[in-house]
Amino acid sequence: MFRTALRNVLAYKARLLMTALAVVLGVAFLSGSLVFGDSLGQAAAAKATDGYTRIAVSVSPDAPPGGEARQAGIDARTATALAGVPGVAVAAGRVDGFAAVADRDGGLIGHGSSHQGGNFAPGADGTDPAYRFVKGAGPARDGAVALDENTARQGGYRIGDSVRVATGKGAATYSLSGVFRTDGTRLPSGGSLVLFTNSAAQQLFLKPGTFRSIELTAAPGTTPQQLLERVEAQLPKGTSAVTGARLAQIQRNLATSDSDTMSQILLGFSAVALFVAAFLISNTFSMLVGRRTRELALMRAVGASRRQVRSILLAESVLIGAGASAAGIVVGTGVAALLRAFLASADSPSGPLVVSPVTVIGSLLAGTVLTVVAAWLPVRRAMAIPPVAALGTAEPAAPARAGSLRTGLGAALALTGTAAVLYGALAGGKDARTVIGCGAALALTGAIVLIPLLSRPFVALLQPLLARLHPVHGTLAARNTVRDPRRTGATAAALAIALTLASGLSVLGASAARYLDRATTHDFTADYLVKAADGGMELAPGTAADLAKKLPGSAVSPLDQSTRYRLGGTESILTGVDPAAIGKLLRYDVVAGSLDSLAKGQIAVADFKAKEAGWRLGQTLPLQRPDGRHGSVTIGAVYRADPQSHLMPSITAPASLVARYDRAPFTAAILVAPDGDPDQAARRSVVHALGDNPALAVLDREGVKAEYSGDIGGQLNVFYALLGMALVIAALGIANTLAMSVLERRKELGTLRALGLDRAGVTRMVRLEALIVGALGATAGTGLGIFLGWALGRTLQESVEGYALVLPWGRLALGILIALAGALLASLWPARRAARVDIPAATSAQ
């Protein structure tokens, strides 16, 4: 039986090529995702934990009750005492904080929020074991700094050059003393690292004579655990110690979390690709079984049992699945290697390609089992072929319509799924998205089952258009499409799955983008927003005042956020602003009172906050802070605001009021409207007034919009690219269906050619068939995707006020056009083959 199965696979290798290719692509997606995820995770973990082996014990201060851990430190006396603990070889005090480096044009070097500053802590030999200098040496005076190798290369800096560095204390120019290499404990991927002297780092990031942590190296013969026990016995109150191995484990978990998330996303799209491939496999085996009816019946007639016929066909599917899966693993590994090489240029952690046995075995099993399962139903139908069928001279006719059991099951699934989606969308609740997800799975399955039933009415709708455009070819194409509804439905279903996901993502993405647009720029009437570049630095409270002095005639206001207030018994956040300028910088829709009340020391409250707390205009509220400060404030205005707005405060207060209760409020941003037109010269004047600080971003209206909503489009484009694999497999399914259909209809095509239909007419007919199938799948998928996008959007409306459904007609139309273009491309080879049918041979075939 195995030899028979192998012979059949080789005999039908051309017809099985598309099926094998679909399995190859699906398994390549799966194995590539696993290899890429494992490689990325191992590289990230290796980089994040590199260097902890030299740290036996790390001592750091506990976070104070207020939560402001960045201000905590260890004094020099404690550091000296720790250095004297028996078993300590070296005690290195570490200081760190935010520091950004400018290139020669004033731009920020590095990306992400990993712009770090630290201290060079040389030992008795003048070296610091955390850093390996490749040029120059560590800073020996406060006016000098050292840069990591990648930052120095990007900035084009050499030893002795002037380097502009920004910290929380502002920007200053330093002399470059050295260039170094370090490990992942100091420098995350894509970031920059600046080394200062001990005194300079303490002055910039903490206070003189204090360290952020103390790193202890064990002397020979002392284990980290022994040293930990000795250190803990002498630790002052408010500090704690942990071994380097424990720190490495924590960093490993943090580093691999992002790669795990990416792997899960890729695996989800791999499952979609494999699910789509299952339709192609099932379709191909159905057509092959139909073509081999007499062969299989003859096998039964000469004594083969049903079990033997089933074993032969299943063995064929195992051979195809295993062979294609092995090829898919090779292709997937290559794709993962290309992705690693591409991302390595973007400062991704580098490392070897990881191809684990679990990946190989899992991918091989997934592809093989998928092929066998997808072939099971066609094999069952083959087992039912009676031996007497071998005596017939014609192939059994394809089913004219879907069976009643299939129709009933599909209708039940579709209705149940639709009801669940509607219930989740309309009833809401914490489990609404879970209900919608389960309902979506049922509805999509039901739609797939029902597509064969829908093919006839859909083609009937298109037939008048086809008959008007191409009377003969359109009519023939329509009839050929509905000749086998199951085949047409299975082919269109693969396309429908991809379009459902793509259109659903488009609806959610467009709706979220519109909402974020309103949440950012709707209330923004200033010309520029000044904020920390990449969110890495807190703006000093006095920055806005200095900017206002340097830009006379301009409207400037800080957004000073101050937390931990008990206002009228309610936990609240106050945002301090300049009462004279804020009305020109943010759009306040005042519904009660006047914004002029800010100048009188009163506060303005958003309507949702007032409703939530039960406050009213003119009410005087007691104010209390955790440090014991207390007082009272009066509500002078109520304004309409979106709770999710990134810029509009929930409570607006004069900056002088906030300063009275908070010595160091967090300046989230500064709003600026320069005197005159907001052109490039005005923007440059703002940048110059800020001290040409590379850590401060000056954003115009479009920049503000991109800052908060620009990632959505990029993420959607990534998802669309991943769904492209499913579309490619669906296109292969169309090509395979048409190719097999051409083989089945050789006699018919020969007869049409004999009756006068030329080669161009045959080509046009086959292409129209492909377009009909593509249109069916695209229409069903787009409609279902819009429905699911609406349902999921409804669940967001409960927590995101102002979210509204947006139908991106352009993206939806583009998706349908891409699907139709893919169907048309898939028809090129089958159409060419149909046009070249030999007329005498075809008309004489039995």
Side-chain angles (χ1 to χ4, degrees), residues 60 170 205 229 239 249 258 279 400 433 491 645 705 712 795:
S60 58
F205 305 131
E229 294 173 357
T239 58
Q249 183 61 46
D258 289 341
F279 287 91
R433 292 172 197 169
T491 307
S645 174
K705 185 187 299 184
I712 290 181
T795 64

Side-chain angles (χ1 to χ4, degrees), residues 559-727:
L559 293 178
D560 289 337
Q561 289 190 352
S562 184
T563 61
R564 302 168 63 205
Y565 286 87
R566 292 286 296 180
L567 199 60
T570 302
E571 294 289 339
S572 302
I573 299 174
L574 268 62
T575 301
V577 301
D578 183 350
I582 193 63
K584 304 173 185 177
L585 304 171
L586 287 179
R587 181 181 290 108
Y588 280 85
D589 184 7
V590 179
V591 295
S594 172
L595 202 62
D596 295 337
S597 60
L598 293 175
K600 303 175 184 178
Q602 298 179 351
I603 63 173
V605 180
D607 54 352
F608 67 87
K609 180 69 175 179
K611 181 179 180 181
E612 173 188 307
W615 299 339
R616 64 183 184 278
L617 180 68
Q619 184 176 357
T620 298
L621 304 172
L623 180 151
Q624 188 173 3
R625 293 271 288 172
D627 59 5
R629 298 187 184 191
H630 59 88
S632 62
V633 292
T634 301
I635 300 176
V638 178
Y639 53 90
R640 188 177 290 110
D642 187 339
Q644 304 299 322
S645 174
H646 293 279
L647 296 177
M648 184 61 72
S650 60
I651 301 177
T652 306
S656 58
L657 175 66
V658 171
R660 189 186 311 161
Y661 298 100
D662 191 346
R663 294 188 180 92
F666 168 65
T667 303
I670 300 172
L671 302 172
V672 185
D675 186 20
D677 296 330
D679 51 17
Q680 285 298 321
R683 186 180 182 280
R684 283 194 297 269
S685 68
V686 175
V687 172
H688 184 67
L690 290 167
D692 295 313
N693 191 328
L696 296 180
V698 180
L699 306 175
D700 58 12
R701 189 177 185 84
E702 290 302 318
V704 172
K705 185 187 299 184
E707 177 74 16
Y708 296 103
S709 60
D711 288 343
I712 290 181
Q715 291 170 0
L716 285 178
N717 289 334
V718 172
F719 292 153
Y720 292 146
L722 295 175
L723 286 173
M725 182 68 76
L727 286 172

Side-chain angles (χ1 to χ4, degrees), residues 733-786:
I734 295 174
N736 206 31
T737 299
L738 292 174
M740 299 292 281
S741 178
V742 167
L743 287 174
E744 292 179 355
R745 293 153 49 195
R746 288 181 68 250
K747 184 174 182 179
E748 172 191 323
L749 292 170
T751 303
L752 289 173
R753 291 293 313 283
L755 292 175
L757 189 64
D758 58 9
R759 289 188 174 185
V762 173
T763 300
R764 187 177 297 114
M765 178 184 69
V766 176
R767 290 177 179 175
L768 286 174
E769 291 179 33
L771 287 174
I772 292 172
V773 174
L776 174 59
T779 302
T782 301
L784 189 56
I786 291 174

